[in-house]
Amino acid sequence: MRVIGGKLKGRKLVSPSGESIRPTSDMAKQGIFNVLQFDIEGSRFVDLFSGSGAIGIEALSRGAAEVVFCDNGREGILLTGENLRLAKLIPNAKYRLMSRDWRDCLRGLSGKWNYIFCDPPYGSVSVGEIAETVKRYGSLEDDGYLIYEHDSAYKTEIPSGFELAKSRKYGRITVDYYAPAADVCALTGSFDPFTSGHHELAKEAARRYGEVVIAVAVNEAKKGLFPLKIRAEIAAMSVADIPSARVEICTGMVWEFCKQRGIKTIVRGWRDEKDLAYEREMADFNKEHGDIDTVLIRAEDEYADIHSYKVREALADGSDITPYVVPAAAEHIRAKYEETRRR
């Protein structure tokens, strides 16, 4: 093992003798610091399962202002301590080695940190457990990353309150970068009418964000069945069980709607590759014009075949709409359809 970049570039590190400690590969380590390269200098960095200490030492070498190393294993503490002798070659290097459980480490940190790197023994600690503890103690800066290394075969889920900002695969190793989720997102669409698939997407958005604004928007490319006001009524009835969701009408450009309300993120769903291609185009448009980010969430299989047009077709031929809509809104949808048809 060696230091790859910075003031200590090329310096050899002491490697673990057994298999209880699995150092991050040079390829993955290089990849991590390629991602962080422009922001690592002056940052506060936590190497939460330090093992050999190689990641934290790399951060110090590249100019991190402060690094905390944490490990609760005797071999890891001794190995990190031995490798930290190199840190003495960096003038004014600020670092601390904590011999304790990772939870105690996060609880004992002072202030907020830019990067918290986690490489626990594969399968032993989930990113969800770590993220929940990070949130509890307010350990991460709003623009920071919780960085989680895991076996590529290990399936991870995006933890509540975070967004998967980046993910990089290095053979059998994957490194995920989780950013704190924005407080508010906009779930946008024509919602003509709102379906159970939309409801499921709203629930997922509410899990990730503090508040979800359901923006019922005009789509010039589609001939609408219901007026915007009725669509909004149906949407509001459909998300009544989601406390953090509220409904608004958007009559102009979606990115303008978001800018006016200080919303920085749009959530959209997709079912297939055709959907995904269209959503990416729209995401690029909203980013270019309003600097609005878009999070794309794939529909679960049970909702992949639910479309607003199927509700409209069922209404037209008098068949059952309950397989496609939220039960609480079904009667209202039927009643409003009859009113619309009589006009």
Side-chain angles (χ1 to χ4, degrees), residues 48-49 102 106 118 125-134 146 148:
L48 196 57
F49 301 83
W102 64 270
L106 291 174
C118 314
V125 185
S126 73
V127 68
E129 294 176 80
I130 298 170
E132 185 60 38
T133 308
V134 166
L146 173 61
Y148 185 72

Side-chain angles (χ1 to χ4, degrees), residues 48 50 68-72 77 96-101 104-109:
L48 196 57
S50 62
V68 164
F69 299 82
C70 173
D71 205 295
N72 69 344
I77 289 297
R96 181 163 47 130
L97 176 55
M98 300 172 73
S99 176
R100 60 183 70 177
D101 180 75
D104 293 333
C105 172
L106 291 174
R107 183 169 58 237
L109 293 176

Side-chain angles (χ1 to χ4, degrees), residues 250-301:
C250 170
T251 56
M253 301 296 287
V254 165
W255 66 265
E256 292 177 325
F257 173 91
C258 292
K259 290 280 280 188
Q260 289 166 1
R261 289 157 181 76
I263 298 173
K264 299 179 180 178
T265 306
I266 291 170
V267 171
R268 297 278 295 179
W270 63 279
R271 305 177 186 88
D272 52 34
E273 293 302 318
K274 183 179 177 181
D275 263 1
L276 183 58
Y278 171 77
E279 293 299 343
R280 282 173 172 165
E281 284 184 16
M282 294 306 300
D284 290 343
F285 179 86
N286 289 319
K287 183 67 174 178
E288 179 183 352
H289 289 81
D291 195 26
I292 309 295
D293 293 322
T294 301
V295 173
L296 301 178
I297 300 175
R298 184 171 188 173
E300 297 290 337
D301 289 345

Side-chain angles (χ1 to χ4, degrees), residues 182-186 205-206 209-213 244-246:
D183 289 337
V184 184
C185 74
Y209 300 88
E211 183 180 5
V212 182
V213 177
S244 61
R246 59 185 172 88

Side-chain angles (χ1 to χ4, degrees), residues 89-160:
L89 301 176
I90 303 174
N92 304 314
K94 188 176 180 181
Y95 57 89
R96 181 163 47 130
L97 176 55
M98 300 172 73
S99 176
R100 60 183 70 177
D101 180 75
W102 64 270
R103 299 173 187 84
D104 293 333
C105 172
L106 291 174
R107 183 169 58 237
L109 293 176
S110 61
K112 292 182 178 291
W113 296 70
N114 302 99
Y115 306 109
I116 300 176
F117 176 77
C118 314
D119 180 18
Y122 288 168
S124 64
V125 185
S126 73
V127 68
E129 294 176 80
I130 298 170
E132 185 60 38
T133 308
V134 166
K135 284 197 302 180
R136 183 182 309 139
Y137 299 124
S139 310
L140 190 63
E141 290 282 5
D142 290 343
D143 60 352
Y145 282 142
L146 173 61
I147 306 169
Y148 185 72
E149 178 182 328
H150 60 91
D151 190 306
S152 295
Y154 176 62
K155 185 179 180 181
T156 60
E157 293 187 359
I158 299 174
S160 176

Side-chain angles (χ1 to χ4, degrees), residues 46 61 116 144 247 274:
V46 180
S61 177
I116 300 176
V247 177
K274 183 179 177 181

